[in-house]
Amino acid sequence: MEKKVILPLTEEKVIGLKAGDTVLLSGVLYTGRDAAHKRLCDLVEEGKELPIEVKDQVIYYVGPTPAKPGNAFGSGGPTTSYRMDPYAPTLLDLGLRGMIGKGLRSKEVIESMVKNKAVYFGAIGGAAALIGKSVVKSEVVCYEDLGAEAIRRIEVKDFPVVVVIDSEGNNLYEQGQAAYLNSLEK
């Protein structure tokens, strides 16, 4: 059964999500990849204000294709998340509650997620066009010079994701592998 979550993603909502849950997100989230993350973290290091509010927000690791006429967003498949691992703990410490991508996360990111009560969602690679259809509005809010990697504020309706790592550090990749290995032993 899918859980519907209305954004922003508060701590209370995060705690109710468990590794393996399928979730439909609706509301506002932001996009950004490694170049944008580096700029955000440089601002934090310099003690300057960020161009977006990250508290209780979700960042989708994506660089969408240009939108076709009549569409708010192009195809938007997830980017490999480990590229954001050097920057994620800084943003999590500022209150970021969710990240959407694909692939494994570092031990440091997982520890920061547990400390800050955050969640890592997996988006379905290969379903970029379908994911793009969940976006009802999109606007570049900063770093337009980065092109597809600019930070966008997007409004989504029933954006499909899976909880890969929950706020307790439970990891679907590890659980799935263990279940598979157990099934081989039977």
Side-chain angles (χ1 to χ4, degrees):
M1 186 169 111
E2 296 169 328
K3 292 185 176 183
K4 290 189 175 247
V5 173
I6 305 298
L7 302 169
L9 191 61
T10 61
E11 181 177 336
E12 181 182 341
K13 292 174 187 175
V14 165
I15 290 170
L17 298 172
K18 301 300 174 200
D21 286 351
T22 55
V23 179
L24 296 174
L25 299 174
S26 294
V28 171
L29 55 87
Y30 291 91
T31 68
R33 290 181 16 174
D34 43 324
H37 276 71
K38 180 180 183 333
R39 288 185 185 182
L40 292 174
C41 289
D42 287 348
L43 289 174
V44 171
E45 194 172 297
E46 295 165 10
K48 295 181 179 172
E49 190 174 329
L50 296 181
I52 61 170
E53 173 60 56
V54 296
K55 183 172 173 33
D56 293 338
Q57 299 302 318
V58 176
I59 296 181
Y60 180 28
Y61 303 150
V62 65
T65 64
K68 292 180 180 174
N71 291 347
F73 201 70
S75 291
T79 297
T80 303
S81 299
Y82 75 81
R83 294 171 49 194
M84 274 52 72
D85 282 2
Y87 314 110
T90 298
L91 298 178
L92 289 164
D93 286 346
L94 294 175
L96 182 69
R97 291 276 179 223
M99 302 159 287
I100 304 170
K102 67 179 179 184
L104 302 173
R105 302 309 301 262
S106 71
K107 179 179 174 236
E108 293 77 20
V109 171
I110 295 169
E111 288 172 354
S112 185
M113 289 172 55
V114 171
K115 176 180 111 180
N116 293 293
K117 299 292 183 232
V119 66
Y120 171 53
F121 297 106
I124 302 162
L130 177 64
I131 288 171
K133 290 181 180 188
S134 296
V135 179
V136 295
K137 187 176 180 186
S138 172
E139 65 178 320
V140 172
V141 292
C142 58
Y143 309 141
E144 191 169 359
D145 62 301
L146 295 178
E149 294 192 38
I151 294 181
R152 288 172 171 73
R153 178 187 185 277
I154 63 175
E155 291 179 29
V156 297
K157 181 167 179 13
D158 294 337
F159 185 94
V161 292
V162 174
V163 177
V164 176
I165 303 171
D166 64 28
S167 63
E168 296 173 358
N170 299 308
N171 189 326
L172 182 61
Y173 293 139
E174 293 171 359
Q175 292 171 344
Q177 187 177 42
Y180 175 73
L181 292 173
N182 285 338
S183 73
L184 295 177
E185 293 173 2
K186 293 181 181 174

